[in-house]
Amino acid sequence: MGSRIGPLAVAVLLVLAGCSGMPSGGSQTTQSSEKTTVQTPSISTETAKEQALEAEETRIKRILENASNITGSVGVYGEKKATVLNRSSEGIRIRVVMSYSYEYHCNGKDGNVDSLTTQAVYFVTNDSTKLVEVEKEVNLIC
């Protein structure tokens, strides 16, 4: 009987070892010690900022030039500010603040407006520049 307990005890230990996660020769899930690296877009931060600034300037001019009460020059001037909000593997989110001015004719009066600003967020990738959110819109006097 002593000879039968030995092999039986070994069999029970093998079964228990398999249940407890010890290697048993079957398929196992292993965890890798390698760290995941986040891929960043190949577009540079400076290039992304330039593209966002250009897109906002174009947007402002398009709105003002299509307004019926704008009579004279439309200008984007002063400090143009582009701030990176975040960078991911998909692209770069950039907040743009831009000053503008224009001349208008409204209700029989002529005038000009200076020192107005817009604020918008753009998402820039290697292939596109998309307006995500307008935080402060172009202000039309009338």
Side-chain angles (χ1 to χ4, degrees):
M1 199 165 189
S3 64
R4 287 189 143 196
I5 294 176
L8 182 59
V10 170
V12 169
L13 284 174
L14 287 175
V15 169
L16 291 175
C19 291
S20 68
M22 294 177 68
S24 63
S27 76
Q28 299 175 23
T29 303
T30 60
Q31 293 182 346
S32 173
S33 62
E34 295 178 25
K35 293 186 178 183
T36 303
T37 56
V38 176
Q39 299 257 340
T40 57
S42 61
I43 189 168
S44 74
T45 299
E46 287 309 310
T47 299
K49 285 181 175 181
E50 289 171 15
Q51 287 181 216
L53 286 166
E54 184 178 306
E56 182 63 359
E57 183 171 343
T58 299
R59 188 182 79 83
I60 292 169
K61 286 182 176 179
R62 185 174 298 132
I63 289 170
L64 294 176
E65 289 170 353
N66 288 327
S68 61
N69 61 332
I70 305 298
T71 59
S73 65
V74 170
V76 175
Y77 67 93
E79 184 179 353
K80 300 173 183 179
K81 189 171 163 185
T83 306
V84 172
L85 299 176
N86 67 10
R87 185 178 184 99
S88 69
S89 61
E90 289 83 29
I92 305 171
R93 284 178 64 96
I94 299 174
R95 175 175 288 122
V96 175
V97 177
M98 192 167 289
S99 299
Y100 63 97
S101 65
Y102 60 87
E103 295 175 359
Y104 66 90
H105 178 79
C106 180
N107 299 324
K109 296 181 183 179
D110 293 322
N112 61 19
V113 178
D114 274 335
S115 303
L116 297 173
T117 59
T118 62
Q119 185 169 308
V121 176
Y122 287 86
F123 188 72
V124 183
T125 66
N126 296 327
D127 302 320
S128 68
T129 302
K130 295 180 183 176
L131 178 63
V132 175
E133 180 181 2
V134 175
E135 297 172 333
K136 187 176 180 187
E137 185 56 91
V138 174
N139 185 8
L140 297 171
I141 295 300
C142 41

